[in-house]
Amino acid sequence: MRNPTDARLTVLRALVRDYQGDITTRIVQTYYVSKFGVGDWRGKARQDLAQLVSEGLLILDDTNPGRRCYRLNHIHGGRLT
């Protein structure tokens, strides 16, 4: 059986693949609630987004200090490996 982190990353990769526009922690939290049920998902959402940044799938845009958003890294080819 896969561990919970792998399950979250799998559904997050699907969101990244299908979502048009900037991805925020709030969007991921809402998505996790719809997939996994009610919970405190903020920390896990940030952790998982950081993981996809470290994998090169997403790019972090933190030019606005009040808002972090993530975008698909097109140089990476947008491949979900």
Side-chain angles (χ1 to χ4, degrees):
M1 177 186 241
R2 295 184 319 188
N3 66 43
T5 301
D6 289 340
R8 286 194 323 270
L9 289 173
T10 298
V11 299
L12 182 55
R13 286 184 183 102
L15 173 67
V16 168
R17 181 190 64 231
D18 298 335
Y19 192 79
Q20 300 293 319
D22 294 341
I23 298 170
T24 63
T25 303
R26 171 64 67 189
I27 290 168
V28 175
Q29 284 177 268
T30 303
Y31 193 65
Y32 282 177
V33 168
S34 73
K35 293 294 185 182
F36 304 116
V38 177
D40 184 14
W41 292 108
R42 185 172 190 232
K44 294 297 183 187
R46 283 186 164 203
Q47 175 185 340
D48 295 347
L49 286 164
Q51 175 66 35
L52 295 188
V53 168
S54 72
E55 291 174 7
L57 185 62
L58 294 177
I59 298 171
L60 169 62
D61 178 359
D62 59 356
T63 54
N64 177 349
R67 180 176 187 260
R68 286 185 202 177
C69 64
Y70 300 83
R71 296 186 182 97
L72 187 62
N73 183 357
H74 294 287
I75 293 174
H76 183 270
R79 291 185 313 270
L80 300 171
T81 55

